[in-house]
Amino acid sequence: MTTRESPRRREVLEVLRTAPAPLGVAEAAERMGLHPNTVRFHLDALVTDGLVERRAEASSGPGRPRTVYTPRPGMDRGGLRDYRLLARMLLSRWTAADPAEARAEAMETGRAWGRFLVDPLPPDEPPTPERSTAALFALLDGLGFAPQLDGGGGPPERIRLRHCPFLELAEERSGVVCPLHLGLMQGALARLDAPLTATALEPFAEPDACVAHLTGPRA
């Protein structure tokens, strides 16, 4: 259970935040009117979640140091996220522009990220079509595209993308999201110095997949 899902845990965190000094378990329990074991359980969970810091306070006399708790500085990381809305906001800048210009800018952005994201081949491995495609496949798989090679035994001429990690955005803004994906593949293959490139991406070409087309040699 996360802090957001636990009202009691949020209450413990709020007690720590409003306290003028770090609190021990007994002090926090007294302020909340709860059993110390209950408060200790929630404090341990807050420490695990990274929202609270636990430390030993130097003792002024004999005996073991007192363990105290303080809220970790910074915003609460247990809140809601809405990155899809952020993506829509950013994409709206492209879609408001000329369609051809927006497509070109999206492809160039994709190429830059493709060059950045792909791991280059080892120096002793020539960038053959098979090795280059395998590296591209690994990149697409790691990004969540669930790629499937379609080559009939030789170097593949098509890659079926059976999942889109940005599906809702692609359905709404295919004019920029899909060129972004095509540019991503082109940039990755260029970074690999591959003897082939991605020439086209057919959005939703099949009921359960988009299809990327590969050809060589790379121009």
Side-chain angles (χ1 to χ4, degrees):
M1 177 181 294
T2 64
T3 301
R4 180 167 57 87
E5 297 167 339
S6 171
R8 182 67 73 193
R9 202 162 297 169
R10 290 200 303 269
E11 185 181 353
V12 173
L13 183 58
E14 188 61 25
V15 166
L16 295 179
R17 285 174 173 165
T18 56
L23 297 178
V25 172
E27 295 169 298
E30 183 179 357
R31 292 184 179 219
M32 299 181 66
L34 297 173
H35 193 280
N37 287 343
T38 301
V39 174
R40 182 179 289 105
F41 169 78
H42 290 297
L43 285 171
D44 289 343
L46 290 167
V47 170
T48 300
D49 290 342
L51 298 174
V52 166
E53 295 177 344
R54 176 173 48 211
R55 62 181 173 83
E57 192 176 61
S59 176
S60 58
R64 297 175 58 185
R66 188 171 71 112
T67 300
V68 295
Y69 299 81
T70 55
R72 185 181 293 274
M75 296 185 69
D76 183 0
R77 295 186 175 274
L80 295 174
R81 303 286 193 273
D82 195 349
Y83 293 116
R84 188 183 300 174
L85 176 60
L86 174 62
R88 285 193 177 112
M89 291 177 178
L90 297 175
L91 287 173
S92 68
R93 297 296 302 271
W94 272 338
T95 52
D98 175 77
E101 180 181 344
R103 174 183 172 85
E105 290 185 6
M107 287 190 66
E108 187 53 41
T109 299
R111 291 189 190 105
W113 276 96
R115 291 190 292 268
F116 172 74
L117 291 173
V118 75
D119 292 326
L121 295 173
D124 59 340
E125 292 187 6
T128 62
E130 292 79 8
R131 286 174 178 153
S132 302
T133 304
L136 177 63
F137 184 93
L139 173 64
L140 294 173
D141 193 42
L143 293 174
F145 285 96
Q148 183 179 60
L149 298 180
D150 184 7
E157 298 179 353
R158 306 193 321 159
I159 298 180
R160 299 175 67 249
L161 305 176
R162 295 174 290 113
H163 178 264
C164 179
F166 318 112
L167 179 59
E168 291 79 11
L169 295 173
E171 290 173 336
E172 296 174 10
R173 314 282 190 181
S174 62
V176 290
V177 175
C178 298
L180 188 75
H181 294 164
L182 177 59
L184 183 82
M185 289 183 278
Q186 291 177 345
L189 290 169
R191 176 72 175 88
L192 294 166
D193 199 25
L196 70 159
T197 191
T199 55
L201 174 62
E202 294 183 80
F204 313 111
E206 300 174 4
D208 60 346
C210 300
V211 176
H213 295 265
L214 306 179
T215 188
R218 178 168 58 87

